[in-house]
Amino acid sequence: MLEIREVPIPAVRPGWSLVHVRGAGLNRAELRTRQGHSPTVTFPRVLGIECVGTLAESTDPALTEGTTVAAVMGELGRQFDGGYAEYALVPNALLMPVETTLPWPELAALPETFMTAQGALDTLDLEPGHRLLIRGGTSSVGMAAASLAAAYGIETAATTRHESKLTALTTDHALIDGGASLTESIRAIWPSGPDHVLDLVGASTAVDSLSLVRRGGTVCVAGSLSGWVIPDLEPIAMIPSGTKLTAFHSDTLKGNAPVLQRIVDAVEAGRCESHLDRVFALDDIVAAHRAMEADEGAGKFVVVP
C-alpha cells in the first residue's frame, strides 16, 4: 500500500546530490513494484523512477545549486528512494541538467516517457517514408512515440483497446485492438504490412506483431503493459525468416542530458506535444495509482509535491 509519511531530508554524501523535487512522472513500473512484482526491491521504499526539480545541494563540481535537473532510472525508486517525495538524493551520474521554460508539470511528463520513445525509435532505425505501427498508442510512451515519429515524417498507425480513447490518437490511422489479431485491420491500411512495430503492450501481443510486420521488418518491444514474459516463445516457429525482434530499455539512456535537452527543445518549439494528461498532488498519490491501474489516462500522469 502507499502511505504518505514525514521522513528526514536525506543527507548529502560524496557522489550524490540532493534534488528539490518539483514534479515526478508516474509509470507502470512503479505500479508493478507496489504490487510486489519487483523481487529485488525491499520495502518500505519511496517509489518513483524519475523526477525533475532543482539542485538543493550538490557534490558535482560541474553543477551549481538551483540548476534545473532531471533524473531517471538507474535504480531510482528501487534500490534507493525515488521521486515520490519533496526531496530525493540522487547519484550524480543520473543528473541531467536542462535549460527550459516549461512549467514543472509539463517538464515532469517528459524524461522517462520521451526518452523511452526516442530510444525505441532510434532502435528501429526509422527513415522518412517508413510505416510504423504503435501498439499501446494511448499509453504515455505510445503518444510520445507518435509525436516524435510525426516530426520525422513517418506514417503511423496506433492501437487502443478503448473506443473512447480513439480521439486521443494523433496518428495517421487509429485502430481498436480488441484482443484478436490485427491482420485484417493492418492489411486494409498497408497491404504488405508496416515496416516497423513499436510494441508497448509486450508479452501478449509481441508474437502477433511479428506476423504483422513486413518480411524483413523490425518489432521493438519497449513496454510491458501486459507483463514481462512471452509464454512458450518458439523463435524459429514464431519469428518469420528475416524479420527482426529487438527491445529497448530506458535505462540505456540514463544520465543522457543531450537527448533530454533535444526532447525539451522540441516540445518548447511546438514540434512535439508533452501529452500531459493529469496532475496529482503528492497527497493524492493513492488516487493517482488507482487511476493508472484502471487505465483512465490517455497520456502522462504527473505528481507534484
Side-chain angles (χ1 to χ4, degrees):
M1 61 188 299
L2 291 170
E3 293 181 331
I4 297 294
R5 294 182 180 177
E6 294 287 338
V7 297
I9 295 176
V12 174
R13 60 181 185 267
W16 297 62
S17 294
L18 185 66
V19 177
H20 184 186
V21 178
R22 306 304 180 96
L26 300 184
N27 301 279
R28 286 187 174 272
E30 297 139 7
L31 187 155
R32 292 207 170 89
T33 296
R34 172 179 62 78
Q35 293 172 332
H37 300 306
S38 299
T40 62
V41 178
T42 57
F43 298 105
R45 173 67 67 217
V46 178
L47 298 181
I49 63 172
E50 63 176 320
C51 65
V52 299
T54 53
L55 280 179
E57 187 177 348
S58 180
T59 63
D60 187 334
L63 299 175
T64 59
E65 293 180 11
T67 298
T68 296
V69 295
V72 62
M73 296 300 291
E75 295 302 322
L76 180 67
R78 294 175 56 81
Q79 295 305 308
F80 53 92
D81 287 341
Y84 290 12
E86 293 176 308
Y87 290 89
L89 190 64
V90 178
N92 291 342
L94 293 186
L95 295 175
M96 296 179 288
V98 292
E99 295 183 5
T100 181
T101 58
L102 293 174
W104 288 115
E106 193 168 8
L107 180 62
L110 302 182
E112 168 65 11
T113 292
F114 270 81
M115 292 181 79
T116 299
Q118 182 67 68
L121 295 182
D122 289 345
T123 298
L124 287 170
D125 198 20
L126 294 172
E127 296 180 6
H130 277 180
R131 301 159 299 182
L132 171 69
L133 170 63
I134 302 170
R135 304 193 75 161
T138 52
S139 67
S140 57
V141 176
M143 298 182 80
S147 187
L148 290 168
Y152 299 153
I154 305 299
E155 184 181 358
T156 57
T159 69
T160 178
R161 292 181 300 158
H162 306 286
E163 190 168 348
S164 61
K165 294 184 179 181
L166 276 173
T167 56
L169 295 173
T170 58
T171 49
D172 299 295
H173 312 282
L175 305 173
I176 290 290
D177 190 346
S181 176
L182 288 174
T183 300
E184 185 175 345
S185 299
I186 287 298
R187 294 296 183 262
I189 300 169
W190 299 317
S192 61
D195 298 290
H196 307 285
V197 178
L198 173 56
D199 198 324
L200 303 171
V201 180
S204 67
T205 56
V207 172
D208 185 56
S209 293
L210 287 165
S211 71
L212 296 175
V213 72
R214 67 164 174 79
R215 185 63 62 92
T218 304
V219 174
C220 177
V221 177
S224 58
L225 295 174
S226 62
W228 306 103
V229 179
I230 301 175
D232 302 319
L233 177 64
E234 300 179 41
I236 294 176
M238 295 178 176
I239 303 176
S241 297
T243 298
K244 306 171 192 67
L245 174 63
T246 187
F248 177 79
H249 193 291
S250 57
D251 205 53
T252 307
L253 290 178
K254 65 178 183 285
N256 196 318
V259 170
L260 180 58
Q261 187 66 61
R262 191 165 79 243
I263 291 165
V264 169
D265 292 345
V267 173
E268 285 188 341
R271 296 192 300 273
C272 296
E273 297 181 35
S274 65
H275 300 294
L276 174 63
D277 182 293
R278 206 176 309 177
V279 180
F280 294 86
L282 183 58
D283 286 344
D284 295 325
I285 190 64
V286 171
H289 264 240
R290 284 177 175 156
M292 181 166 53
E293 195 166 3
D295 291 327
E296 292 180 9
K300 187 74 170 183
F301 288 173
V302 165
V303 62
V304 175

